[in-house]
Amino acid sequence: MSDGPRTGSQTAFIFPGQGSQAVGMGKALADNFPAAKAVFDEVDAALNESLTQVMWDGPIDALTLTANAQPALMAVSLAALRVLETEAGLDLAREAAFVAGHSLGEYSALAAAGALTITEAARLLRIRGRAMQEAVPVGEGAMAALLGLDYDQAVAVAAEAAGDDVCEAANDNAPGQVVVSGTKAAVERAIVIAKEKGAMKALLLPVSAPFHCRLMGPAAEAMEVALSGSTVMTPRVPLVANVRASPVTDPAEIVRLLVEQVTGTVRWRESVIYMAGAGVTRMVEIGTGKVLCGLVKRIDKSVSTSAVGTAEDVAAFIAARNAAASAA
């Protein structure tokens, strides 16, 4: 398979990352659609525990734990996708130009494209979540959003703030929205410096660890081991990788980039720019929330967006699909 865009397809399917979780997510999908319930049952079986009970009953503190949030968000994304396949006749391999996901969403994207089984994705995300949480003692790391600075300015702020500590650009989410990550003292310095440099707002994020910086080195090593024992197949749709902001289909390269992603910058802004430049005019966010839709609109207003994560969203997707078919 070529790593480039698929001829004739103008749609990309995108998958959300951590922060989108909410108690109750996916419950209505499971109650209304057997295909969704089958996904949740598979994830529970893969983890040998009832993650769905935490997802649907809470408490939110338990769901927000990185080791739970990561497989839970993937489960909702894949449940929603399976419903679209069974109820709306979606054929991702035929209809998608690319798949992409934000951080953990990259695993959801790979499962959607058939490169990972749902069982394997759940197992890997449980390992990833625990490893990322354990890489840095609680309270020693932090992340902050710098709003109103472009990526290069944010990188300069992080470098100035680092000193003998660690402060790096973790997420390039959208124009004027960059997240930095590192040791708590350095990130706090970055907030002060960013405001001095003209940031509209700079604030600490409520996260439990400093993701996507070199402090996550132990987690990257854990994922290298975990992925070496996993089966990663060629995806049916090219993945636009977080750390490269360009497509990849080779399984060995996918594994390498998934390891690199743990400590590397999530280049979401560039990924969206790449897909739009390759002819994508529509992006569909599959899973909980609409965070990525909002970022896409900030990056390129010409790209249309929609989100499918609830039973109501599924009905709207099917109605739009039927209307388009009638008009054709």
Side-chain angles (χ1 to χ4, degrees):
M1 177 192 290
S2 165
D3 285 352
R6 318 271 297 273
T7 304
S9 181
Q10 298 174 307
T11 303
F13 289 80
I14 57 179
F15 298 83
Q18 211 160 328
S20 292
Q21 65 272 2
V23 172
M25 65 182 190
K27 177 106 176 33
L29 289 175
D31 289 345
N32 286 283
F33 303 105
K37 186 176 186 304
V39 170
F40 293 122
D41 289 346
E42 184 174 348
V43 170
D44 281 350
L47 300 178
N48 199 30
E49 66 180 69
S50 183
L51 179 62
T52 50
Q53 185 174 354
V54 177
M55 291 167 60
W56 297 339
D57 300 332
I60 186 63
D61 289 352
L63 179 57
T64 301
L65 288 173
T66 304
N68 288 333
Q70 294 197 17
L73 286 161
M74 181 278 299
V76 178
S77 288
L78 269 293
L81 183 75
R82 291 289 181 264
V83 172
L84 293 184
E85 290 171 343
T86 56
E87 301 294 321
L90 176 70
D91 181 348
L92 202 73
R94 182 172 56 83
E95 298 181 44
F98 303 105
V99 293
H102 193 285
S103 191
L104 84 89
E106 199 152 83
Y107 287 78
S108 307
L110 287 166
L116 290 171
T117 64
I118 291 171
T119 292
E120 196 82 317
R123 187 184 70 82
L124 288 168
L125 286 170
R126 170 56 59 83
I127 294 168
R128 184 178 184 268
R130 282 181 174 157
M132 292 174 89
Q133 187 62 64
E134 293 168 0
V136 180
V138 174
E140 291 189 13
M143 299 180 77
L146 310 184
L147 307 180
L149 300 182
D150 66 26
Y151 178 67
D152 290 339
Q153 290 173 314
V155 168
V157 165
E160 185 177 337
D164 294 330
D165 297 319
V166 173
C167 188
E168 298 167 3
N171 302 338
D172 181 11
N173 284 333
Q177 185 178 328
V178 182
V179 174
V180 296
S181 181
T183 49
K184 192 165 188 288
V187 171
E188 288 172 341
R189 287 195 295 271
I191 289 173
V192 174
I193 295 167
K195 290 176 179 175
E196 292 171 352
K197 302 282 189 187
M200 290 186 296
K201 190 180 286 187
L203 66 161
L204 285 173
L205 296 175
V207 296
S208 55
F211 306 130
H212 298 292
C213 73
R214 67 176 183 269
L215 294 177
M216 289 287 111
E221 292 172 9
M223 290 314 297
E224 189 168 15
V225 172
L227 284 158
S228 71
S230 298
T231 300
V232 179
M233 293 162 281
T234 302
R236 295 190 296 267
V237 181
L239 170 80
V240 176
N242 283 180
V243 296
R244 209 166 79 175
S246 62
V248 58
T249 55
D250 175 65
E253 183 74 352
I254 287 170
V255 168
R256 190 182 69 77
L257 295 175
L258 286 174
V259 173
E260 188 179 326
Q261 185 227 58
V262 178
T263 56
T265 304
V266 175
R267 296 166 60 184
W268 188 252
R269 177 183 59 85
E270 291 177 86
S271 296
V272 172
I273 289 170
Y274 174 85
M275 290 186 280
V280 168
T281 58
R282 174 178 177 243
M283 296 192 187
V284 182
E285 181 172 1
I286 306 291
T288 301
K290 300 180 180 180
V291 170
L292 298 184
C293 286
L295 294 180
V296 169
K297 280 302 179 190
R298 291 189 59 180
I299 297 164
D300 189 336
K301 289 182 173 58
S302 72
V303 177
S304 70
T305 60
S306 59
V308 180
T310 66
E312 292 81 5
D313 293 338
V314 170
F317 184 94
I318 293 173
R321 199 172 175 85
N322 291 340
S326 298

